[in-house]
Amino acid sequence: MLILLLVLSYAAVCLRAGLVSDLLLKYQFQNYYDSWVRDGKPHGMFYAPKGSSTIFAMKASLKKHNELPAWAYDDNEAKSIHAKVVFWEKILKYSTVVYLPLVFVLVFWG
């Protein structure tokens, strides 16, 4: 039962991180289309506008999102969404470091 709770909570963190990233991508697509095109037309986990690219989505997911994109410097809404992306990516990173080894230990030695 504990393993199931750990897996479900980790899945919830992954989902939330993906949804927040999608929100920033959607905001960029709707308000800064030229910048979205220059970034290679990436798509998110669930948000995939017409013409988006899977290859650039993978490249975008590997980029560090700690740095505010140039297109968002003067946009308070974009800054707010970006801060949420950074927060949830940190939560995802640290939960991966904690959850996965814990589940492994519980499965094989629990």
Side-chain angles (χ1 to χ4, degrees):
M1 185 61 149
L2 180 60
I3 295 171
L4 179 62
L5 289 175
L6 286 172
V7 169
L8 289 177
S9 62
Y10 182 72
V13 168
C14 291
L15 180 64
R16 183 64 181 158
L19 289 173
V20 172
S21 293
D22 280 2
L23 185 61
L24 183 62
L25 184 66
K26 183 177 182 179
Y27 189 84
Q28 180 188 18
F29 176 79
Q30 291 174 343
N31 298 293
Y32 298 94
Y33 183 80
D34 292 339
S35 176
W36 178 76
V37 170
R38 277 192 304 274
D39 286 347
K41 300 180 182 179
H43 65 77
M45 183 183 285
F46 298 108
Y47 181 71
K50 188 174 182 176
S52 60
S53 168
T54 302
I55 292 172
F56 284 102
M58 288 186 287
K59 284 184 180 181
S61 69
L62 296 174
K63 279 178 30 178
K64 290 186 179 184
H65 294 113
N66 294 339
E67 297 176 15
L68 186 65
W71 57 267
Y73 284 154
D74 296 326
D75 188 327
N76 289 333
E77 180 70 18
K79 287 179 184 178
S80 173
I81 298 169
H82 180 265
K84 291 174 187 175
V85 169
V86 170
F87 172 79
W88 281 102
E89 285 184 352
K90 284 181 183 177
I91 296 295
L92 179 60
K93 179 175 67 173
Y94 293 124
S95 63
T96 301
V97 170
V98 172
Y99 283 125
L100 295 182
L102 186 57
V103 168
F104 180 78
V105 167
L106 290 173
V107 166
F108 290 104
W109 288 288

